[in-house]
Amino acid sequence: MAPTAAFAWTAPLRVGVSAPAARAVCRPAGAAGASWVRPAGRRVAAAVRPAAPTPLTPSPWRVAITASATSSTEAPRAPEPSGLWSTYVKVSTLVTNLFPLWTALCALLALAKPAAFMWLTTPYFTASLGLLMLSMGITLTVEDFRRVLARFGAVIIGFLGCYGLMPVLALGLAKAFGLPADYVAGLVLVGAVNGGQASNLATFIAKGDVALSVVMTTATTLGAIVMTPLLSQLLIGAVVPVNALGIATSTIQVVLFPIALGMALNRYANRLVRSVLPFSPVIGVLATCLLVGSSVAQCASPILAAGWALQLPIMLLHLVGGVAGYYLPAFAGYGEVVRRTTAIETSMKSSAFGFLLASLHFANFAARVPAAVSVVWMAVIGSTMAVVWRYIPVPKDQKTRA
């Protein structure tokens, strides 16, 4: 039998033109520079430059074929999506785009019927956060983190926004609106905690840099061991004891382990990941909504009693923080993708962690109410920014810009 020769074939896809009639470039696979070859028993024409694409001939589609005495020159066709799958894509896109609406509805339901979310105890709460991180981890590779670490300045900007801008902004808003001392302490504590895990999902929806978002979240989470009690002492004069070992363990369980597991699955079980990936945004939205509902349900009565006097400064904390987080990287020369990522990271605090600290370390119950309110506004404002940016294309010259 004549030996088989492998070729790389480049040809434009033409409407109404048979494959044998299309002009092609044939060369041995891996042998750059050769213009023609002669397989055993077959004559091959000299190389011809492929025709320039026209509106009816899309960009050349590069495929690998094997030439033999019985080989076919027909180009493979992409499978048509099923009707059921097309329906799911439309529905999942709608669910993701309405992320702000779902968080607001869950918050309202938690206020009206707190019992609906009381089943979400601490183990389930932790599992929901872990699931949220896993849904993001399967979109990442090691190369993503190498790329991020090569421009660590963006991470530093995010860290300064989290522990420099937000605590001072929280204190200023609390004083400007004349909040009671317990509310001042609770709001400053929200400003002094780490970035929230839901920011990774919002960054994914906003077409930001998910790997950069994960590094920023992890950096601020680890930084909370020192920064949260230090800022509490400086700004509100109350030392908030933080269990460093507990925070480190929680970081591993809720952030690092699920992300690492997702990356491993992406590397070693890529076919499985590709089949699951379309469901990732929906799972993230569901997990975030459950976390919002659980936090609000535990403080439903104080939230209702506080009214807009407390809602407005907390809403402004997340809104102004997001705007500032967008423009700060611009001054340092970073592009649109980094700006979106930093804005979401700065705005979306780990309000659930602030709620836990206030519950454990402040004697008055009122100190935990700002954190419960913050859970809602953090999710609503962060998800709104994500959905808006989803429909604003990133300029081509800034997609790869640091």
Side-chain angles (χ1 to χ4, degrees), residues 142-154:
V142 174
E143 186 59 33
D144 291 325
F145 286 92
R146 290 175 180 168
R147 176 172 49 83
V148 168
L149 294 176
R151 46 177 182 164
F152 203 68

Side-chain angles (χ1 to χ4, degrees), residues 47-369:
V48 181
R49 185 185 299 270
T54 70
L56 293 180
T57 62
S59 300
W61 179 26
R62 193 173 187 83
V63 296
I65 62 171
T66 300
S68 64
T70 59
S71 64
S72 171
T73 57
E74 291 294 332
R77 293 182 179 180
E80 294 292 333
S82 66
L84 182 61
W85 182 252
S86 298
T87 301
Y88 167 75
V89 170
K90 293 178 182 179
V91 172
S92 64
T93 301
L94 178 63
V95 169
T96 304
N97 291 346
L98 294 178
F99 186 19
L101 176 61
W102 308 136
T103 54
L105 289 177
C106 284
L108 291 174
L109 178 60
L111 289 173
K113 294 186 177 181
F117 293 94
M118 288 301 185
W119 59 270
L120 197 67
T121 56
T122 300
Y124 293 115
F125 197 94
T126 303
S128 296
L129 284 173
L131 183 63
L132 182 62
M133 290 296 96
L134 180 62
S135 69
M136 294 297 99
I138 60 176
T139 70
L140 301 173
T141 64
V142 174
E143 186 59 33
D144 291 325
F145 286 92
R146 290 175 180 168
R147 176 172 49 83
V148 168
L149 294 176
R151 46 177 182 164
F152 203 68
V155 180
I156 298 299
I157 292 176
F159 193 91
L160 293 176
C162 178
Y163 291 119
L165 170 68
M166 293 298 278
V168 174
L169 179 60
L171 179 61
L173 288 170
K175 295 293 187 181
F177 280 85
L179 297 180
D182 290 333
Y183 285 175
V184 172
L187 187 55
V188 171
L189 186 60
V190 168
V193 295
N194 54 290
Q197 287 77 18
S199 62
N200 307 137
L201 172 64
T203 300
F204 177 75
I205 296 173
K207 300 179 182 179
D209 192 328
V210 178
L212 176 60
S213 175
V214 171
V215 171
M216 284 182 172
T217 303
T218 303
T220 57
T221 301
L222 294 175
I225 299 172
V226 174
M227 298 304 297
T228 300
L230 176 63
L231 290 169
S232 298
Q233 172 66 38
L234 292 176
L235 298 179
I236 57 178
V239 177
V240 180
V242 177
N243 184 346
L245 180 60
I247 289 182
T249 302
S250 297
T251 302
I252 293 172
Q253 292 176 340
V254 177
V255 180
L256 298 183
F257 177 73
I259 290 292
L261 176 60
M263 292 174 61
L265 290 173
N266 192 11
R267 173 66 177 85
Y268 298 106
N270 188 257
R271 180 174 296 182
L272 173 63
V273 167
R274 287 201 308 268
S275 65
V276 173
L277 196 58
F279 303 96
S280 178
V282 176
I283 293 173
V285 169
L286 177 61
T288 302
C289 288
L290 290 176
L291 294 172
V292 169
S294 175
S295 301
V296 173
Q298 297 183 51
C299 293
S301 297
I303 290 174
L304 292 173
W308 281 102
L310 180 61
Q311 301 285 341
L312 193 55
I314 295 177
M315 182 270 289
L316 288 174
L317 172 67
H318 295 288
L319 180 61
V320 175
V323 173
Y326 179 82
Y327 285 105
L328 284 176
F331 295 136
Y334 286 99
E336 178 68 17
V337 173
V338 174
R339 295 178 200 174
R340 294 183 182 187
T341 304
T342 308
I344 291 172
E345 282 293 320
T346 305
S347 174
M348 300 186 74
K349 284 285 195 169
S350 183
S351 306
F353 180 55
F355 179 83
L356 178 63
L357 287 179
S359 301
L360 294 175
H361 304 297
F362 287 92
N364 292 335
F365 183 88
R368 70 187 72 175
V369 177

